Amino acid sequence: MRKRIILLVVVFAMIAAACASGGEATSTTAGNETTTTTAAPAQTTSGSLLDTIVQRGVLRCGVNETLPGFGSKDSSGKFVGFDTDLCRAIAAAVLGDSTKVEFTSLTAAQRFEAVSSGSIDVLSRNTTWTQSRDGELGLTFAPTTYYDGQQVMARTADGFTADSTLADLQGATVCTNAGTTTEKNIQEALDAIGVKFTLTTFEDFNIVLQNFKDGACDAVTTDGSGLVSRKSTDEPAPGDWVIFPSVPLSKEPLGPATKQGDAIFADAVRWTIFAMFIAEENGVTSANVDEMKANPPTGEIGRLLGGDGEKQTAMGLSADAFYNVIKQVGNYGEVYDRYLTPLGLKRGLNALWINGGLLYAPPAR
Amino acid sequence: MTIQGPPPPQEVTPLERWTRWSKENLFSSFFNSVLSIASIAIAALAIRGLFSFVFAPERKWYVIPPNMKLYWTDVYPPEVMGRMWVTLGLVLTLTGLSLAIWRVGGHLTPARLARVAASVGSSLLVLAALVSIPAIVRIWIAVVGVICWAASWLIKLLWSGGEEAETISTMWVLIGTLVAVLAVLWALHIETGTKVSLTVQAAVFIGAYIVGLVVRDWIPNAVTRSSLVAFWLLSLPLVYLVIQRDPDVSAVPVTTMVIPFAAAFAIVGAAYMWWAGSANPGEVAKLVAALLFVAAIASWFTSIAMLPRFLLLALAVFGLAAPTFGGTDQGRKGLVIGWVVMDLLIAYFMTMAMAKTGIPVLGDFIGGLNLTFLLSIAGIVLAFPIGIMLALGRTSTMPIFRLLSTGYIEVVRGVPLITVLFFANLVINRFLPQDIRLDDIIKAMIAVALFAAAYLAENIRGGLQSIPKGQREAAQAVGLSTVQMTVLITLPQALRAVIPAIVGQVITLFKDTSLVAIIGLADFLRIARDVVPNQPGSLGSMQESLLFAVVIYWIFSFGTSRASMRLEKKLGVGER
């Protein structure tokens, strides 16, 4: 009996020891929780997401993996595309290293929840800036990086030409993919002019296009950028398909978005994009940025690249933040040429204001 | 009909044999002839249609080979790709050994082999003749067909006279085929690195098989088989936690926490097992086991580290099992050694799981077919113990257990897997202490396992109910306790009876894992459906990519079902 009691005591002593040492157990978080900030790079940023990202050392960015040219994965599994490079640019500005991005590919349905729940820092997923998203959904949009607009694509064999209008879709079967504003737009536009047509939706634009090729659809509709890129790759013979109307039936300004209520981080994102505009405007590229930094042609370029009188540190960024952006990612034009020009997308509205486009950045002073 | 003696043996020409066979099997009556002709026509049309789809000039099959890495491993960094090859090598080694040790595969007579080769050859030739495909493909198919015919003729020549005594092991035929496929691979334009890797893997597999053949004759089967099963079970955490995650273990927690805890638990636990496994530990042992169990449960409500929580729980389970397996000297030793091994394994894998990954990728880095395998295997392996517990709970006479098990099973079976995945993704972390955050993959594994467990429990319950009452009565008459009766008599028979149902579930689960795309994991189907067809260089290749996915899914599902048929035959399922 005594032996048993001793054993019991031993067992309970063991449990007690386990509990006691459990108190001083090291925590084993996977780094998901934000720790309290200790040293802020600048006084103004304390409490901002900007600080959290610097502490974490990684920018978390929500992107698309299903939109050629804007966001997709190459065969080695690397995220490529216009929107993904904007994330890299922001990482270069905030962290000084464009590779420090943790990409999350999101569906159209998941994207807003991901921003508001804080599981991503910035959403760069061909998202249209709208009033409701600005208001109800609680997003803050960065400057528009791509001006898109919904158009229709149909076959020239059916008598459609570049001068066709929406009225010519009378009695046609129009196909599009579900889950975006695209179907609502075409419905509204055609109802407004009293055109009777059949709208068929599919889950995915690849399936829409397959049906269009098989003749199940007379016309397909989505953003112009998508139509142009698919026309360049899938058209059976040049001139078989045509995109109209020349003035798109909707405005789709696409750009990165962050969570509302964090002006400091939103400013950092906004000026990263403006810096890319200004760099292109002044001919600063990733190739010549070192030379430009050494002897800047204008005061503005000097300031932007971290020279005397720079304004970056006041925003909570490092002085050479935008130098890093241009050096590691490139200016706006370079990123555009990297991904969108090969798809046959002309600059059009997305040219700089000096070239008759809409891209216009405030002065860096 | 006049009664005749046996007909004199006569030489039957192949043509005569064939006409007789078709008369008996295809055209035995008017109605059957119509059916046969119709089904042959339908099959021919379907095959023709499929081939003309696959070989149509506008098919973009060229997008598949460059994306192989993406299909198999998604974003896993190329510079640590060696880890994936190590994984494959490990699995192939175990497979090769298992095939040899379990004596898988029958024997073929040369005549049969020759017939198989000839029939494959003739079907290929028919295909080449009938299907509308590009000339170059036609020629290739015809060449392969002729090679098959030549092989058949060669076999007949070498083993002429058809001495039925001589047989070839099916495994060697398969290995020969594998070597032939490799030879073809070297003729294709594939990256040399990949070719070398694949050849090395094939060599590893064949080597393991030969080693297995040698070992088979030297070491008793019971030893090799049980250790192989143990290795198979260990390979899962080893592959995911150690090989693919490359944990970056820091020395501090290991020296200050893991080693002391593991050592303390090993020593104290071994002593406890030695006592609890003795011939007559009495009621105190049961009391201690119960208290340990309560302590293990309670430890989850304190801020104690993860390791002692798990170790306590494991020790409690061992304590509860001790009366069943102990009592003899051998059982006692087994309990002590089993506990020490278990303690070390838990400590090792917990340490690995707690460490940050050393893979140079930000975010999720496990994906593709690799993730599909990890999820389905982890799901079924984890579901097994839970499913057995639930089945026993549902058939037990204790009302609380029965209610809880029934409730759990019915709730889980009443909701779609997608819901369970969503729920797990959002809620599991809320149930855990503050300082523990699980990866999405682990959460998905848990969700899949919990979901599969409910269905598995129902299958096992069916097996339990199929066991005649006499078995239980006999066990009680011999004086076995309830636990002994379950573990030694009823469960093994029940599990054997429901192998077909369980395999069906494994196959279903393997394909159902594609739903994890909904919680943001990049499994094989998502790569095939969303990622590859949307690369700028491979637009409009959705059908090709999906067909590729279909073929891969089918190969593994079909392979599983064939393997299970062999297993059933071996165990004599359904033959009482």
Side-chain angles (χ1 to χ4, degrees), chain B residues 216-390:
Chain B
R216 192 164 84 182
D217 303 331
W218 288 99
I219 301 172
N221 258 338
V223 177
T224 46
R225 284 184 186 185
S226 50
S227 49
L228 259 180
V229 168
F231 277 128
W232 270 115
L233 285 177
L234 277 183
S235 69
L236 174 74
L238 192 73
V239 162
Y240 175 62
L241 293 175
V242 182
I243 298 180
Q244 294 189 358
R245 266 184 88 252
D246 183 21
D248 204 357
V249 183
S250 46
V252 176
V254 173
T255 48
T256 60
M257 195 182 78
V258 176
I259 292 176
F261 267 127
F265 268 94
I267 294 162
V268 177
Y272 168 49
M273 282 296 121
W274 185 249
W275 167 66
S278 62
N280 196 7
E283 293 300 306
V284 183
K286 286 182 182 172
L287 181 72
V288 171
L291 282 174
L292 271 178
F293 200 70
V294 172
I297 304 276
S299 72
W300 284 86
F301 295 97
T302 60
S303 63
I304 188 173
M306 280 307 273
L307 185 62
R309 276 181 193 149
F310 273 88
L311 287 174
L312 259 181
L313 194 63
L315 191 58
V317 170
F318 263 75
L320 290 169
T324 308
F325 297 99
T328 61
D329 271 354
Q330 201 192 347
R332 208 175 182 184
K333 260 188 215 145
L335 276 173
V336 172
I337 293 169
W339 167 252
V340 173
V341 170
M342 184 57 115
D343 173 86
L344 294 177
L345 283 178
I346 290 179
Y348 175 70
F349 282 124
M350 289 287 297
T351 313
M352 292 297 162
M354 287 299 175
K356 276 204 176 91
T357 170
I359 299 290
V361 150
L362 304 165
D364 287 337
F365 53 87
I366 302 251
L369 199 56
N370 176 38
L371 173 69
T372 298
F373 277 130
L374 281 177
L375 278 175
S376 41
I377 293 169
I380 206 75
V381 168
L382 295 174
F384 236 89
I386 309 172
I388 289 175
M389 287 288 160
L390 285 169

Side-chain angles (χ1 to χ4, degrees), chain A residues 1 4-5 7-8 10-12 14-15 17-33 57-59 65-80 99-107 110 113 203-207 209-210 213-214 229-230 232-234 339 343, chain B residues 59-60 66-70 74-76 78 252-253 256-257 261 264-265 268-269 271-272 275 280-284 287-288 291-292 295 302-306 308 312 315 354 356 362-364 426 429 434-439 517-520 522 526-527 529-531 533-536 539-543:
Chain A
M1 193 66 217
R4 284 178 191 169
I5 289 170
L7 263 171
L8 270 179
V10 168
V11 167
F12 277 104
M14 190 181 81
I15 295 169
C19 291
S21 57
E24 66 212 17
T26 50
S27 103
T28 48
T29 349
N32 267 356
E33 297 301 287
V58 171
L59 175 83
E65 63 179 9
T66 62
L67 189 61
F70 287 88
S72 58
K73 274 185 197 171
D74 71 4
S75 55
S76 70
K78 185 171 168 252
F79 279 93
V80 291
T99 62
K100 293 273 187 283
V101 188
E102 180 182 311
F103 289 106
T104 310
S105 52
L106 299 166
T107 63
Q110 293 168 328
E113 201 273 330
E203 186 200 4
D204 178 304
F205 199 72
N206 283 306
I207 303 171
L209 210 76
Q210 193 58 49
K213 283 190 199 170
D214 296 345
S229 65
R230 297 313 292 258
S232 71
T233 54
D234 286 58
Y339 300 111
L343 291 175
Chain B
R59 287 286 148 262
K60 302 184 178 178
N67 281 309
M68 272 304 173
K69 185 208 162 283
L70 203 56
D74 189 31
V75 296
Y76 208 73
V252 176
T256 60
M257 195 182 78
F261 267 127
F265 268 94
V268 177
Y272 168 49
W275 167 66
N280 196 7
E283 293 300 306
V284 183
L287 181 72
V288 171
L291 282 174
L292 271 178
T302 60
S303 63
I304 188 173
M306 280 307 273
L312 259 181
L315 191 58
M354 287 299 175
K356 276 204 176 91
L362 304 165
D364 287 337
L426 297 172
N429 278 341
Q434 270 301 309
D435 57 343
I436 302 157
R437 287 287 163 265
L438 294 179
D439 292 353
I518 214 86
I519 57 168
R526 177 162 143 193
I527 303 278
R529 202 197 65 153
D530 288 351
V531 178
N534 286 308
Q535 294 169 340
L539 289 179
S541 63
M542 195 167 183
Q543 293 163 319

Side-chain angles (χ1 to χ4, degrees), chain B residues 398-450:
Chain B
M398 295 168 69
I400 291 187
F401 268 141
R402 205 175 50 234
L403 260 174
L404 282 177
S405 310
T406 311
Y408 176 87
I409 290 169
E410 294 307 338
V411 167
V412 173
R413 289 203 314 156
V415 294
L417 176 55
I418 285 202
T419 324
V420 177
L421 282 168
F422 259 130
F423 195 77
N425 199 37
L426 297 172
V427 172
I428 282 183
N429 278 341
R430 305 256 167 105
F431 279 102
L432 293 174
Q434 270 301 309
D435 57 343
I436 302 157
R437 287 287 163 265
L438 294 179
D439 292 353
D440 278 356
I441 291 179
I442 304 254
K443 283 191 282 192
M445 280 177 182
I446 293 171
V448 167
L450 291 179

Side-chain angles (χ1 to χ4, degrees), chain B residues 166-241:
Chain B
E166 260 195 298
T167 56
I168 313 165
S169 152
T170 327
M171 282 308 302
W172 286 114
V173 173
L174 285 178
I175 285 173
T177 321
L178 183 68
V179 172
V181 168
L182 272 182
V184 170
L185 192 81
W186 276 95
L188 294 174
H189 296 289
I190 305 175
E191 259 182 75
T192 320
T194 313
K195 275 188 220 182
V196 171
S197 308
L198 285 172
T199 313
V200 167
Q201 298 289 337
V204 162
F205 172 70
I206 296 167
Y209 182 70
I210 293 167
V211 168
L213 289 182
V214 173
V215 165
R216 192 164 84 182
D217 303 331
W218 288 99
I219 301 172
N221 258 338
V223 177
T224 46
R225 284 184 186 185
S226 50
S227 49
L228 259 180
V229 168
F231 277 128
W232 270 115
L233 285 177
L234 277 183
S235 69
L236 174 74
L238 192 73
V239 162
Y240 175 62
L241 293 175

Side-chain angles (χ1 to χ4, degrees), chain A residues 263-281:
Chain A
I264 292 162
F265 181 56
D267 282 345
V269 174
R270 175 178 304 129
W271 275 91
T272 302
I273 289 161
F274 283 151
M276 291 166 83
F277 292 172
I278 298 169
E280 190 188 1
E281 200 176 314

Side-chain angles (χ1 to χ4, degrees), chain A residues 44-344:
Chain A
T44 48
T45 67
S46 67
S48 163
L49 193 53
L50 189 62
D51 236 23
T52 314
I53 294 165
V54 172
Q55 293 269 338
R56 198 196 296 136
V58 171
L59 175 83
R60 294 191 303 207
C61 185
V63 293
N64 198 341
E65 63 179 9
T66 62
L67 189 61
F70 287 88
S72 58
K73 274 185 197 171
D74 71 4
S75 55
S76 70
K78 185 171 168 252
F79 279 93
V80 291
F82 182 82
D83 283 345
T84 63
D85 266 20
L86 294 180
C87 295
R88 293 190 175 96
I90 296 163
V94 175
L95 301 165
D97 184 350
S98 68
T99 62
K100 293 273 187 283
V101 188
E102 180 182 311
F103 289 106
T104 310
S105 52
L106 299 166
T107 63
Q110 293 168 328
R111 56 187 164 172
F112 300 123
E113 201 273 330
V115 181
S116 57
S117 71
S119 62
I120 57 172
D121 303 325
V122 60
L123 175 70
S124 181
R125 191 200 172 281
N126 50 287
T127 304
T128 306
W129 186 353
T130 68
Q131 191 186 354
S132 63
R133 289 172 184 176
D134 232 347
E136 286 167 49
L137 288 178
L139 297 180
T140 297
F141 279 85
T144 300
T145 50
Y146 192 89
Y147 289 94
D148 213 339
Q150 191 177 336
Q151 287 173 295
V152 181
M153 182 161 71
R155 278 178 283 266
T156 45
D158 295 343
F160 288 99
T161 64
D163 304 329
S164 299
T165 60
L166 292 181
D168 298 332
L169 290 170
Q170 182 78 33
T173 303
V174 181
C175 299
T176 186
N177 49 327
T180 60
T181 50
T182 317
E183 43 179 323
K184 227 186 306 178
N185 288 340
I186 188 89
Q187 192 82 52
E188 279 178 10
L190 291 182
D191 286 352
I193 53 175
V195 171
K196 289 273 173 294
F197 77 115
T198 317
L199 184 64
T200 316
T201 54
F202 298 94
E203 186 200 4
D204 178 304
F205 199 72
N206 283 306
I207 303 171
V208 174
L209 210 76
Q210 193 58 49
N211 277 283
F212 178 62
K213 283 190 199 170
D214 296 345
C217 307
D218 299 320
V220 292
T221 178
T222 188
D223 286 353
S225 60
L227 290 177
V228 171
S229 65
R230 297 313 292 258
K231 185 170 182 279
S232 71
T233 54
D234 286 58
E235 200 174 23
D240 276 9
W241 297 348
V242 63
I243 296 173
F244 65 93
S246 51
V247 176
L249 57 113
S250 75
K251 291 186 287 185
E252 309 287 345
L254 312 175
T258 52
K259 193 176 173 179
Q260 199 163 290
D262 190 344
I264 292 162
F265 181 56
D267 282 345
V269 174
R270 175 178 304 129
W271 275 91
T272 302
I273 289 161
F274 283 151
M276 291 166 83
F277 292 172
I278 298 169
E280 190 188 1
E281 200 176 314
N282 292 282
V284 185
T285 64
S286 51
N288 69 14
V289 66
D290 288 316
E291 189 184 319
M292 288 275 190
K293 191 181 176 175
N295 17 7
T298 64
E300 185 181 36
I301 294 298
R303 286 193 297 275
L304 203 66
L305 298 178
D308 282 345
E310 52 81 25
K311 308 293 178 202
Q312 282 82 265
T313 39
M315 301 176 66
L317 297 170
S318 63
D320 59 359
F322 299 145
Y323 161 80
N324 289 331
V325 172
I326 309 304
K327 179 77 188 159
Q328 299 175 21
V329 182
N331 66 31
Y332 180 91
E334 284 179 89
V335 177
Y336 195 103
D337 288 341
R338 199 172 299 152
Y339 300 111
L340 302 179
T341 308
L343 291 175

